[in-house]
Amino acid sequence: MNREELRDQLLAPVFQWTRLGRQTNRLMTGSSAVISYRARRLLRAGAFSRQADWNEVARMTGEKFEIPLQAATAMAVAMLPVVKQFWTHTGQSVLACSSDTMSLLGSRGPDEFRERQADLCATLINASVGWFRVFGSLAEVASQGVAPLLRQVQDNAERLEKR
């Protein structure tokens, strides 16, 4: 693995977390617009007298249950391959590091020791890169959970802007 490949693999999780941060930022911005609109409407309306106000309250109540369930389901589905990736990587890393360590301990001379030490270092680097990939996968899982919330907030913001 050359330096550019290593750099790309180490930066991939950073980009995944950055995308999640941007997605969360859009969620917060949209949420504040929806909350602001709904709060102004409720303050102006006083008691709920119109059917549209009751419909909006019913929609808000339904969203409090439906959207978090969609988010939890999306995260659970996205988590299955990540758990598999985690355990697979853990097993392979432990076996590879153990094998290279035992090989290093069995070295018969300085040249063989140096060669086996380089093999162990390469294995440790590959294990670290794998952990970075697993770390980045967690951002993708969170992104799957945020997606239904973001979609609902953006739909509400667009719908409420038209009123």
Side-chain angles (χ1 to χ4, degrees):
M1 173 183 324
N2 63 29
R3 284 186 159 193
E4 287 78 23
E5 290 172 343
L6 180 61
R7 180 202 61 213
D8 292 345
Q9 289 188 14
L10 292 178
L11 284 178
V14 173
F15 294 140
Q16 290 169 312
W17 283 99
T18 301
R19 276 194 303 276
L20 177 63
R22 289 180 178 162
Q23 190 178 23
T24 305
N25 186 25
R26 288 195 315 269
L27 175 67
M28 291 187 314
T29 303
S31 295
S32 65
V34 170
I35 291 168
S36 172
Y37 177 83
R38 286 178 171 168
R40 278 183 290 151
R41 289 286 307 222
L42 291 174
L43 288 174
R44 272 193 239 142
F48 296 140
S49 56
R50 297 178 349 181
Q51 183 61 36
D53 294 333
W54 284 108
N55 290 344
E56 189 65 25
V57 169
R59 179 184 290 254
M60 288 173 14
T61 305
E63 289 172 358
K64 301 299 181 246
F65 296 102
E66 180 182 341
I67 304 305
L69 285 175
Q70 288 177 3
T73 302
M75 286 179 67
V77 168
M79 191 61 141
L80 293 175
V82 173
V83 170
K84 180 182 174 187
Q85 179 186 11
F86 170 79
W87 286 113
T88 301
H89 180 70
T90 299
Q92 289 174 343
S93 296
V94 167
L95 289 175
C97 288
S98 299
S99 172
D100 285 352
T101 301
M102 295 306 289
S103 176
L104 181 66
L105 292 174
S107 299
R108 295 187 184 148
D111 292 333
E112 193 174 272
F113 183 84
R114 227 177 282 115
E115 190 177 299
R116 291 179 178 182
Q117 186 179 27
D119 291 342
L120 177 61
C121 288
T123 300
L124 291 172
I125 288 171
N126 289 335
S128 299
V129 168
W131 286 115
F132 264 72
R133 273 185 284 191
V134 170
F135 179 67
S137 297
L138 294 176
E140 293 299 322
V141 169
S143 179
Q144 293 295 317
V146 171
L149 301 170
L150 180 60
R151 184 185 64 245
Q152 186 63 42
V153 164
Q154 289 175 334
D155 289 348
N156 283 342
E158 289 173 12
R159 182 178 51 79
L160 294 173
E161 276 181 12
K162 294 176 184 176
R163 288 185 170 184

